[in-house]
């Protein structure tokens, strides 16, 4: 039971990768804002079911303060993420998501007083480096290609901003959970995020909205919405049990799972080139589990 958080973090990673894969398969050619919005909307029925099954904790002003600070940052991260994917190649943007766990070593210490051991720190860095190297086959010139593209690709800058914001929102989320409960915070947080993101997404995707609302799309979004809800619930439960940097690092194994989905569902190649990154991520995972 000591490492139950590891199972929950892996479940969160699996649910995230599955939701992403199902969404990509169903809605690959639709507006990113609309896709992001409707995946959130279709997670709400499942989240509301959770809300009716759990007690409402006693809430204090610290919970409301942290909640109010975190929500705008979460929406900003979502918008920067969408913009990065829209305007720049994936190979020059997604590798930067691996920065979040590394930055969390400092952020979670400053805000929560959480320390990572030397072994845990090495594990986090291995996982982050492995996640970065998973995209090596697309880095045509060198492993530092994404960094060299920062001055030319706005999407790279946007993804770095996203990674930094996620380090903040993950830590704020842990603070809010301390003053409430994991499931209550997770459900309420994403209800509010969805409500506030809706007008932004509807405006940005207004030209494609009419053609999007069909019975076919609605049926295809039920499963992504369900797995999104599972991701949220397991994420909040896991992060309440351990160091934020450890949990987010393990959750980044969703990149590995996404790689497998890409191979089996979309016929993506280059599995051999991705092996060093996968091996490095596994090494980091083992180190973190042994350190926690």
């Amino acid at each position: 039971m000591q490492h139950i958080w590891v199972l929950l973090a892996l479940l969160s990673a699996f649910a995230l990768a599955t939701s992403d894969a199902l969404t990509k398969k169903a809605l690959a050619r639709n507006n990113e804002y609309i896709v992001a919005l409707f995946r959130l909307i279709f997670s709400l029925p499942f989240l509301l079911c959770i809300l009716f099954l759990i007690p409402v904790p006693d809430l204090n002003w610290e919970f409301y303060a942290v909640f109010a600070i975190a929500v705008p940052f979460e929406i900003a991260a979502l918008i920067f993420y969408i913009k990065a994917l829209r305007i720049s190649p994936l190979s020059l943007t997604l590798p930067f998501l691996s920065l979040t766990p590394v930055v969390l070593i400092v952020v979670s210490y400053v805000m929560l007083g959480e320390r990572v051991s030397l072994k845990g720190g090495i594990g986090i860095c291995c996982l982050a480096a492995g996640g970065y190297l998973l995209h090596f086959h697309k880095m045509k010139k060198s492993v530092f290609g994404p960094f060299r593209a920062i001055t030319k690709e706005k999407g790279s800058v946007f993804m770095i901003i996203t990674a930094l914001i996620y380090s903040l929102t993950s830590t704020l989320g842990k603070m809010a959970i301390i003053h409430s409960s994991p499931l209550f915070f997770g459900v309420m947080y994403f209800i509010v995020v969805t409500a506030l993101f809706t007008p932004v997404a509807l405006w940005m995707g207004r030209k494609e909205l009419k053609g999007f609302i069909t019975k076919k799309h609605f049926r295809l979004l039920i499963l992504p919405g369900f797995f999104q809800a599972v991701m949220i619930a397991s994420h909040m439960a896991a992060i309440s049990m351990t160091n934020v940097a450890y949990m987010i690092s393990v959750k980044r194994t969703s990149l590995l799972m996404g790689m497998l989905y890409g191979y089996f569902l979309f016929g993506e190649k280059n599995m051999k080139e991705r092996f060093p990154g996968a091996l490095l991520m596994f090494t980091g995972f083992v180190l973190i589990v042994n350190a926690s």
Side-chain angles (χ1 to χ4, degrees):
M1 295 296 290
Q2 181 182 359
H3 289 137
I4 188 67
W5 74 266
V6 177
L7 297 177
L8 288 168
L10 289 173
L11 175 59
S12 183
F14 168 75
L16 175 60
T18 304
S19 183
D20 284 345
L22 290 171
T23 302
K24 179 179 179 180
K25 188 174 180 64
L27 308 171
R29 297 183 179 180
N30 286 277
N31 180 277
E32 293 91 338
Y33 283 89
I34 296 298
V35 171
L37 171 63
F38 276 84
R39 186 165 72 168
L40 284 171
I41 288 175
F42 272 76
S43 71
L44 293 185
F46 303 104
L47 293 176
L48 288 172
C49 288
I50 295 174
L51 187 62
F52 288 126
L53 295 174
I54 61 174
V56 178
D58 293 328
L59 305 175
N60 56 28
W61 69 268
E62 291 172 285
F63 168 81
Y64 290 112
V66 172
F67 193 100
I69 294 170
V71 167
F73 279 108
E74 188 73 39
I75 295 172
L78 183 55
I79 292 172
F80 277 120
Y81 180 82
I82 292 169
K83 282 182 173 291
L85 296 183
R86 174 181 278 275
I87 67 176
S88 294
L90 293 179
S91 60
L92 298 179
T93 55
L94 286 182
F96 290 116
L97 282 180
S98 300
L99 291 173
T100 300
V102 178
V103 177
L104 270 169
I105 295 175
V106 177
V107 175
S108 63
Y109 172 72
V110 172
M111 297 180 66
L112 292 170
E114 293 184 342
R115 297 174 181 270
V116 300
S117 66
L118 177 61
K119 183 187 291 185
I122 294 172
I124 291 171
C125 292
C126 285
L127 258 166
Y132 182 89
L133 288 176
L134 284 181
H135 302 272
F136 180 69
H137 66 287
K138 294 181 181 178
M139 302 172 193
K140 297 179 180 179
K141 294 184 179 180
S142 76
V143 72
F144 298 107
F147 284 97
R148 290 173 179 168
I150 289 176
T151 56
K152 299 178 181 179
E153 292 283 349
K154 281 188 177 181
S156 299
V157 177
F158 288 159
M159 195 60 83
I160 291 173
I161 294 172
T162 301
L164 294 176
I165 294 176
Y166 278 152
S167 69
L168 177 62
T169 55
S170 297
T171 308
L172 289 171
K174 176 73 173 283
M175 293 175 69
I177 288 170
I178 292 171
H179 296 285
S180 57
S181 71
L183 292 180
F184 178 82
F185 167 71
V187 172
M188 294 305 300
Y189 186 63
F190 279 94
I191 288 175
V192 174
V193 166
T194 302
L196 295 179
F197 180 65
T198 295
V200 177
L202 291 179
W203 175 255
M204 296 301 295
R206 61 192 181 281
K207 293 181 180 179
E208 299 178 35
L209 184 60
K210 185 177 179 180
F212 182 89
I213 303 178
T214 65
K215 289 183 179 180
K216 179 183 177 181
H217 280 149
F218 275 35
R219 288 196 303 269
L220 292 174
L221 278 167
I222 292 174
L223 272 179
F226 168 75
F227 281 106
Q228 177 82 359
V230 172
M231 182 276 290
I232 292 168
S234 52
H235 172 108
M236 297 303 171
I239 210 168
S240 70
M241 298 177 182
T242 190
N243 188 300
V244 178
Y246 288 161
M247 184 270 160
I248 296 299
S249 296
V250 172
K251 187 181 176 182
R252 281 292 180 266
T253 58
S254 63
L255 296 172
L256 277 176
M257 300 173 193
M259 178 186 74
L260 294 175
Y261 275 127
Y263 177 76
F264 289 109
L265 289 183
F266 305 107
E268 295 179 0
K269 313 279 185 191
N270 307 107
M271 292 294 285
K272 290 183 179 179
E273 291 86 342
R274 294 180 175 192
F275 182 75
L279 182 61
L280 198 54
M281 290 192 79
F282 180 74
T283 302
F285 170 78
V286 172
L287 287 171
I288 289 173
V289 172
N290 288 332
S292 62

